[in-house]
Structure formats: C-alpha cells, structure tokens
Amino acid sequence: MQFQLIGAPELPKDKYPFSYTPAPNFGAKNPKHKGNLCNGIDLRNTEKMNRINLSWIINAYKLSSKKAVFFKNKSFTIHAGNTLLQKQIEQGVSIQKIRDSWNSDLNIYKKTRAKYLLYK
C-alpha cells in the first residue's frame, strides 16, 4: 500500500492509532520498517486532494521520538526533489511559508509549460 499509509515505529500510538507491519511486495522489495509494527495514518479513504497535505509529514516529524533519524532514509529527499523541504520541516517553517517558497520555481515551470500547451 505504498503512498497510502504514513507511519513509523517511533510515532506515538495515542496520536496514530492505525497500526500495520510493512512487508516486502512488488512495489517495495525492502520497505524501510520491514517487519516492525508501525503506528500511523491510513490514507486509503482520504478524499481526493487538489494539493499536497504537508500537515501529515510535519506532524509526524514533530511527534516522532527519533527526530535524528526521521529523514535518514534518502527516500524522502528523492520524492521531494531536494533537501529544502526537509530543512524547512526541521526548522519549524510554517506550511504557508513552505508553500510560498515554491512560487518562484512554479512560475518558471508555468512559463516553460505555456509554450507547449495545445489548448488555452
């Protein structure tokens, strides 16, 4: 259930009551917490979103008992594209300020994209 569950063994069960144990499968041959009971959130029934919900990762970081290893796996950086988001979360930057920091790159992307659009 890749990208459908958020969790880790170090998240508090009282705040993350959904439990699961990651196991190897077709999409994840060696999951990060393989064989360890994780507390987390089941996102499978979450309504469709029109933007990224940063509160899930920010809250998990804040409530993690092992902040020093929270981002140790390079998977987060690969999915985020660089280390900036990680640094912002670690520094306690607000969700709005994180979103605002994307504007410059988004505007460059929109300008580049515009010349390839077939329809207005």
Side-chain angles (χ1 to χ4, degrees), residues 2-118:
Q2 296 87 306
F3 305 106
Q4 297 176 54
L5 304 175
I6 297 172
E10 58 271 6
L11 293 178
K13 184 150 183 70
D14 63 322
K15 303 284 186 194
Y16 293 90
F18 178 77
S19 296
Y20 65 99
T21 303
N25 61 49
F26 177 76
K29 305 274 188 245
N30 192 23
K32 181 177 179 179
H33 300 296
K34 179 174 90 176
N36 296 310
L37 183 65
C38 294
N39 303 313
I41 305 170
D42 183 353
L43 303 174
R44 290 176 287 179
N45 294 316
T46 302
E47 290 185 35
K48 185 177 178 181
M49 299 177 295
N50 61 1
R51 61 192 224 171
I52 297 168
N53 185 337
L54 292 170
S55 66
W56 293 330
I57 190 71
I58 291 171
N59 289 335
Y61 178 76
K62 285 180 182 177
L63 295 171
S64 173
S65 63
K66 295 184 178 179
K67 287 181 180 53
V69 297
F70 191 87
F71 292 111
K72 188 172 179 146
N73 183 313
K74 296 198 184 300
S75 176
F76 183 84
T77 301
I78 290 168
H79 289 101
N82 59 40
T83 60
L84 179 60
L85 179 57
Q86 173 185 336
K87 290 175 185 174
Q88 290 171 318
I89 292 170
E90 290 172 334
Q91 294 169 0
V93 176
S94 73
I95 290 173
Q96 188 57 53
K97 286 190 179 194
I98 291 172
R99 289 187 185 287
D100 291 346
S101 74
W102 300 341
N103 287 336
S104 176
D105 288 338
L106 284 172
N107 288 334
I108 292 168
Y109 167 76
K110 287 175 184 178
K111 285 180 183 176
T112 303
R113 176 181 173 260
K115 59 186 167 188
Y116 298 101
L117 294 176
L118 297 176

